[in-house]
Amino acid sequence: MELMTSVFTSEEIEKIRAEFPILDQEINGKKLIYFDNAATTQKPNVVINAIHDYYAGYNANIHRGIHHLAEKATGAFEATRESIRAFLNASSTDEIIFTYGTTDGINLIAQTYGRQNLGAGDEIIISTMEHHSNIVPWQMLCEEKGCVLKVIPITDDGEIIFEEYKKLLSAKTKIVSVVYASNALGTINPIPQIIEAAHTHGAVVLVDGAQAVSHLDIDVQSLDVDFFCFSAHKLYGPTGMGAMYGKRALLDKMPPWRGGGEMIKEVTFEKTTYNDLPYKFEAGTPNIADVIALKSAIDFVNKIGKDKIASYETELLEYATEKISQIEGVKIIGTAQNKVSVLSFVIHGIHPQDIGVLLDQQAIAIRTGHHCTQPLMARFGIPGTSRASFAVYNTFEEIDRFIAAIQKVIKLLR
Amino acid sequence: MQPLIENMTINEIQEDIISDFELFDDWEGKYEYIIDLGKQLPVMDDSLKTEENIIKGCQSIVWLHGYQKDGLVYYVGDSQAIIVKGLVSLLLKVLSGHTPEEILNADLFFIEKVGLASHLAQTRSNGLASMAKQMKTYALAFSSKELN
Ligand SMILES: Cc1ncc(COP(=O)(O)O)c(C=O)c1O
């Protein structure tokens, strides 16, 4: 590796790495390199310990209990809500709804706001680079309500064509739902401009923040975004949970989705009245342990500093991009100006699956395939890509090993 | 098509493959061999690359076709990915050219013995498990035809 100045010293990186016990292992006799961070990031000790501490020390059902443990659990649970509020700069914790993740949040909005407000002929705009979780819920809604899905085209670099987006907007547009950062390309979309344009046509905007939260500063108020969804597991937190932000004025008018305990005020067989925000959308006993652990993940990110994390990841991305570009036959898919640390590529004449299998033999974990973005792959006319994605605990040395491993793969396959 | 390895039982062929793999002491040798097998796999006629012959659940497209001749079942296959092609080739070596009963009763112990068990896992989505299952399904179809 060439000498270069970095945001972090190597001692600082070693300290960060030491927080992630999973990284300290060998696979097939070699030290693990984990480059599948866009799929899910690894978890620091503070997150793992938070889950352990809850079950070992104060497991109890929340909100209704009157005993000590229930109060402690409720306090920790609600502390995460406040932590997310601050993380997204929402104006109130009433606007933070716990979900199973990004997918769950998008479905919630489609099934409540969507079903309530959309009818035949109304239009929903998404982009070509959406994850299936931001396509299928809208298709389901369109099928039921007779509304129409419109898709913003992208350039060969993987950037939204803004002029085309503006042409799609009209009085018929009711929802614009766009990914902040693409999991398959890395592209960071011009979300502030997208929101502004949508609002001039009276449409509400949902932002899929799954890939954005660990890299970009999010301020839902200055963005003026209507709905924002993310998953904890891409933010060094636990799997199968996340949160959704919604503007209070919208959430207040939306009907509940799932019915059950927690989300009610009073139930009789004749009529049920619903609980206030945010509980109206949180039926049943939630995933308490993982909600509590998400706060530890957010604290972890805040302690290092998201801007520092982002700058470091950009260094890694630029280094890897430069190195891999020198390999003959490699083509990067996703060459937008603004990118999160996602390096998607194809190698001429080699199927991504072969690359993935042979890197795995060298203890390097990447993702190969369509990345749950089949229409995007179709846009580029490829079955899939190989994707390396970097997090704060990755290093330049790992990228050197990755590049050498790719060269070995090519040698074996040619 | 001739039986790939004449007059050998399914188990004998598997033992043969296992001893071939014993020659490799690192992953590179092993995968070089599988890649070579993939490259040497006889070309599958495009007319057989139909939708019905696609094995579902694989990350790369895998085609498999079976037919019967003189009481024996033969297979042809192909894949977009060369390593999967090598795995197809191994399965063909073992199962192609045997009676439906032999194929149905076959225990594919070689996969684990040569250290390819991880490729059986569904999560690997390379379909080794689905391929083996599909080959047995062909055998079952041919054997019930014989009974009728
Ligand atoms: C951009 C994007 N949107 C949505 C999702 C879905 O997230 P989850 O599976 O956690 O609901 C992902 C995760 O793969 C993603 O990368």
Side-chain angles (χ1 to χ4, degrees), chain A residues 38-39 100-104 131 133 179 181 183 208 210-211 231 233-234:
Chain A
Y100 301 148
T102 309
T103 306
D104 190 40
H131 189 279
S133 64
V179 69
N183 63 309
D208 168 353
Q211 295 294 335
S231 305
H233 70 97
K234 297 183 197 280

Side-chain angles (χ1 to χ4, degrees), chain A residues 28 30 351-355 357-362 367-370 383 408-409 411-414, chain B residues 27-32 35 39 58-61 79-84 118-119 124-127:
Chain A
N28 300 321
K30 293 169 206 87
H351 195 279
Q353 191 180 351
D354 288 325
I355 298 170
V357 169
L358 295 175
L359 287 180
D360 179 51
Q361 290 299 314
Q362 303 175 71
R367 179 73 142 232
T368 62
H370 54 63
K408 186 170 238 173
V409 167
K411 211 174 106 214
L412 278 169
L413 288 167
R414 286 262 161 84
Chain B
W27 69 274
E28 282 132 303
K30 189 160 95 182
Y31 277 90
E32 237 164 347
I35 290 163
K39 287 181 179 163
C58 309
Q59 210 180 78
S60 51
I61 298 181
S79 168
Q80 297 173 314
I82 195 77
I83 291 170
V84 176
S118 70
H119 287 278
R124 288 302 173 108
S125 48
N126 59 21

Side-chain angles (χ1 to χ4, degrees), chain A residues 87-88 209-216 218 228 230-231 235 306:
Chain A
F87 192 69
L88 301 179
Q211 295 294 335
V213 278
S214 70
H215 312 281
L216 308 174
I218 310 291
F228 184 93
F230 72 94
S231 305
L235 183 66
K306 215 195 257 185

